Each structure stands twice: as C-alpha cells, then as structure tokens.
Amino acid sequence: MSFEYPPFTEPRQIRLLKASFNQTHNQPDIDTIQCEFLVVNLDDLPCEYVAISYLWGSSEKPNKVWCDGFSIAITVSAMSVLHMAASNSDLGYIWIDALCIDQSNASEKAVQIRLMRDVYPAAKSTIAWLGDSTPITDEALEFIVTLNTALKKFEHDGVVNISRSSLLHSEGCEWPSSSWKALSTLLEHPWFRRVWILQEMALASQVEIVCGKRSVPWLLLAFIVVQIEHNGLMALLMITENGELNRGPIGLSTLKIAWGLRCLRAVAVPLGLASLLVDYSFLEASDDRDRLFALLGIADDVEDSSFEPDYITSPPGVFLKSAVRLLTRDGSSNMILHRAGIGSDRNMEGLPSWVPDWTKHHGNTVLGSLASIASYHASEGIIPPTNAIYSEDQQSIALSGCNFDKITEFTPPYPESAYERGSEEYPNIESAFMAWLDCLQILCSSAGVHPNGQSYYPDILWRTLVAGIDYSGNPAPDDFQQHFQDLTTRAEDGLRAISEDRDLEANLDLDESARKFVATMSAVSFRRRVFATQLGYLGLGPLRIEVGDRICVFLGFDTPFVIRPRDEGGYVLVGECYIYGLMNGEALVDGKVEDITLY
C-alpha cells in the first residue's frame, strides 16, 4: 500500500503539515522526518500556520519523509524546507504546495490552486525559503539592513533625490565592495525568477526572506530596490569591480513588480489577466501551464470557468483555450494579440499564429502594452469594433479590420552585437551600429515620398526607431531628433555612442536626455526591423517580416499589425508594428473594412 492523503469534504478546505524529526532513543534523528497532516477550512481555521514560498528545482524525488507509517517521496528542495521546519518546533503548522496538495491528482490541483489567493493572506506569515545560508547570503542580508538604515536616514532628512555620491559615502555603503557584489548575487537567486512569487508576495500578510537562520522582511528589500531605481542607481548592482557592465540581477525586476502589484491591490486597482500575461511573461515556471495559472490569484477578471486551472490539457491547449476566451469576450483583453505572431521566436509547435507563446520572452518592448500612455489609437473612433469570432474546426479567429498596404523592403535588425559584445563581422559596437545606420539611410533614400510630405531622414526615421515614445512610454519629446543626429555623428567619429547594455546608465559619453533616447531606441528596436511600404510609409516591425507581408489595422486594436497571406486563403499573424502616420485612425478613414481570418 502507498500513502493516501486525508480527503477533503468541503469546498474551501486545505491541508496543513507539521514536520518533526523522528525520535531515536529520545534523541532527534535529523535524517528522518515525520509529517502530520491536518485538514482545515480556510473560513474557520482552528490554528495558525506559515505559508512557504520556495524554488521547486528538479522534479526528481530522491528523498523520503514519513506519515502514518507510509513513506512519501519528495524533491531535494522540499526536503530542505521540511528540514528547516522540523528544526524550528515553534513554527507549528506550515502550508507547502508540494506536499499539502496531492500533485498526482489533477482535479485536486485545479481546485487548490484557485484557493491559493486565500491561502497566503490567511497565513500568519510567509517564509520565502532561499535555502541554507552561505557566507555570501550572510553578507548580503547584513548589507540589506545597512542599506535600509542609510536610505531611511535620507528619507527622514527629507532628501528626495539621493545622489550616488551621497549614498556611497553613507556608513557601510562604500562601492565597490564585497557587500554590493553579495547583494547582486542574492538577487540573482533562481527563486526570483518564479512567476509564482508575484502572487505570493502580493497577497501574503507579511513575508520573510530566509537563508538558513538569517532573515529580512521582503518589504525591506523591495523598498531598497525601488529606492535604488528611483534614484538612478541601478548600475551599482550591474557594474563589476573591474568596470564591466552586466545586466541587472533578475530580483531587481521581480521585487519592483511585486511591490507595485501589492500597492495596486491596496488601493483596489483592478488587474486584468491579459495585462499580467503580457507584462510578466519573462518569469518562469516548472510547468509551462503555470505561466498562466500562477497569475489567476491576482487577476480580477477570471471568475468564469474558462480560466479554471487544467493540468490534463497540454500547455499549447491551455494557451489556445485562454487566448480564445480573452479575445472573444470583449475588447479589454485585446492586448494579448500584441504578444502573438510568427515574426518573433516561438518555442511551442502547433500553436496558431494568433495565440501567444507564453514560454518565449522576446526581450523587447510590447508596443500594445503602452498604448494608453503612448497615445496609440490606430483604430480610433471611425467604426465600432466587433468581437472576434473563433472557429474550433480551423483553429482560426476572424477579426474585422482594414488590410491596406504591403511591405516592399526592410533593413537588417538592430545590431545584436550591441548586446553580445561584438561579432566576427562587426568586432565593436561602432562598426555594427554604423553598418545598421547605413542600411537605414539607404532605405530612406529609396522609399520615395512619405504620404504626409515629411522627409524620411531624420524626421520620420528617429520617431520610427523609438516607436514615437520615450523610455517611460510617453510620447517622445522633440529633442530626441537632435539626440539621434548627435548619436550618428558620434558613431561616425568612432566614439562609444552606445553601451553594451541597453539601459546605458553607466555611459558617460552622453548626457541624461541623450541616454534616454538611446535606451528607448535599444529597448524598442531590439529584434525588430525598419521597413518601407508600397504606399510610402516607414515602420518598425517584427524580426521575421518578409517582402509582400500585408499591413492591417484591426478594429479595437491600438497598433497596426503585419499579416502574411496563405496560399490556401486567410492569413497568419506576423506581429504588431509601429508606423508613423498610421497610429491615430488614419488607415480607417478611407479604408475598406473586411473580415480578416488568422490561422
């Protein structure tokens, strides 16, 4: 016989677990852990408990714990958590998903995952378990307290903008130092890559980040990260002691996001699943379906049964089902189409082109996610939008729109060597950037006349390279044109016009405003191509556009899209695009609206 979980008899029940070491001759046997389960109702808890957030790691289960005389195989990471819990007898009952949910029961998992949005708030606290302590984690946690003391002093003294110099002159905050390196290393811990931590950190009453026997409140660490970014000090965690510039540790992003989500929930700002998926698809999950299911606990528009967690259907099937529901219910979730298309890398085979592959993060700005602040209104106000129509037989979706132009030529993409530290063909950033600029100028000179009469170079080109926005997503300021011209001059002179890192915070060759232009251009143009159209427009589109691809505007969507005709009829979606002069409903003034079917 094998172990059988104590059953649930009511809808809102969960299991709690108490871990203890087996007693041998009145001495604890630290190699043998006994587990005791308790079934409780979330609406009538008989005891307090602590929720556990941790990294699942490998799915292999080489370890065993014991319950009622039966063994339960568990992973190395779960064993680490239970060993910690057994070593702290005052911890009492805990909730850990790997054991408190029967992972072999898909139906139970579906119900329990829906309850997780209540599990974390109901817990007296949450432990974010990062594993046993090391000298590096010890130093990092001590430094977090030191940094917090320094930043709180600035706050107490009324200092709004903290300079790099003033922070580094604070006691214990000198740079470079092993403490800054230790903090950067801690923030690169794989735990910070988990999509689940958004729900856990946003919903929990209080969270402690724990390494061995040391801990700090996660809100303290999140406060430090937010303050460092607010004051433009991110490079302190990105530049190595020998001066090389690396990308920032992943924890910088996830802590800032979780902090923001917590603040939004505190003031009852509704959160839509489509926006959460688009904005946070760079985070990871051991089961690809959890890239969606992990967000259900913080989304406010997923009450109907279409979004029930489903561990029987394959990941592509789950992505298809959710895309159908989001695109056909109303226009509020149209944003997901901006993350779809064959024009960018995709991992999953068999997905229709209009279904996003949430396992692949493109690394560039999703233009549709910025529409409201960027003032993108490509289908504004001319004809009211209609809901998408899905055909289950064909796995196609029909949208109303205007299919009015086609691509005639395009340039190479923004130089990858800007991020990969050179290539054999372009050994430095200047050569790669200049080769790319030459292609842009050739395209502009051969594109004919723009429909509104403006010159392509530099007027329209600089706007195209930043998709008409600044680094915050607001409409681009006019001084960006001068920065673009200065940048080309600097590159021609052989100066280090742009850095290997896209946000360019450490680049001292450019003033603050110029750095913002280059950072915006890098984030927006990365893995995209500039193209020209038959009607004379200049645009910025996906990496894998082709000559002959069509330009269309779907009713109810904020940017134009690139679509590709199929020999057998209909189209495949290539991806979203930016086209100067077509971002405010111009395409629909005289265009013919038709049903466009995407496969």
Side-chain angles (χ1 to χ4, degrees), residues 106-156:
S107 299
E108 179 179 306
K109 283 175 65 177
V111 173
Q112 290 289 297
I113 281 177
R114 274 295 201 177
L115 292 177
M116 284 170 66
R117 69 185 304 160
D118 299 317
V119 167
Y120 287 97
K124 69 175 181 180
S125 65
T126 294
I127 289 177
W129 176 249
L130 271 60
D132 294 328
S133 63
T134 67
I136 290 177
T137 61
D138 287 347
E139 183 172 12
L141 296 185
E142 289 178 6
F143 186 52
I144 288 168
V145 176
T146 301
L147 264 180
N148 182 64
T149 301
L151 291 169
K152 286 293 186 182
K153 185 177 186 305
F154 287 118
E155 188 177 62
H156 179 268

Side-chain angles (χ1 to χ4, degrees), residues 429-445:
I429 184 56
E430 294 83 11
S431 60
F433 186 65
M434 281 307 302
W436 180 64
L437 278 178
D438 287 343
C439 292
L440 294 176
Q441 290 176 327
I442 292 171
L443 178 67
C444 289
S445 64

Side-chain angles (χ1 to χ4, degrees), residues 266-281:
V267 294
V269 174
L271 299 171
L273 178 60
S275 296
L276 293 170
L277 283 167
V278 169
D279 291 341
Y280 308 135
S281 60

Side-chain angles (χ1 to χ4, degrees), residues 536-595:
Y537 289 100
L538 206 64
L540 185 68
L543 186 66
R544 294 185 176 86
I545 55 176
E546 296 179 359
V547 170
D549 284 348
R550 303 288 304 182
I551 305 297
C552 73
V553 171
F554 296 120
L555 302 188
F557 291 78
D558 294 311
T559 75
F561 285 83
V562 180
I563 58 177
R564 183 169 300 157
R566 302 192 323 153
D567 293 339
E568 56 270 54
Y571 300 85
V572 292
L573 181 71
V574 181
E576 67 173 0
C577 65
Y578 171 88
I579 301 178
Y580 178 68
L582 292 176
M583 303 303 290
N584 288 285
E586 297 91 342
L588 299 181
V589 173
D590 299 314
K592 176 186 175 183
V593 174
E594 58 184 296
D595 287 338

Side-chain angles (χ1 to χ4, degrees), residues 160-162 225-234:
V160 177
N161 296 308
I162 304 170
V225 167
V226 170
Q227 287 296 310
I228 285 177
E229 186 193 48
H230 172 74
N231 291 284
L233 304 173
M234 304 290 275

Side-chain angles (χ1 to χ4, degrees), residues 225 228-239 248-249 252-253 256 503 505:
V225 167
I228 285 177
E229 186 193 48
H230 172 74
N231 291 284
L233 304 173
M234 304 290 275
L236 295 173
L237 293 165
M238 296 163 61
I239 301 178
L252 291 176
S253 298
K256 183 182 67 172
D503 69 12
E505 288 185 49

Side-chain angles (χ1 to χ4, degrees), residues 54-59 75-78 97-99 103 109 194 286:
Y54 70 110
L55 181 71
W56 267 51
S58 171
S59 60
T75 64
V76 171
S77 58
D97 57 356
L99 283 155
Q103 298 295 326
K109 283 175 65 177
R194 299 173 57 244
S286 54

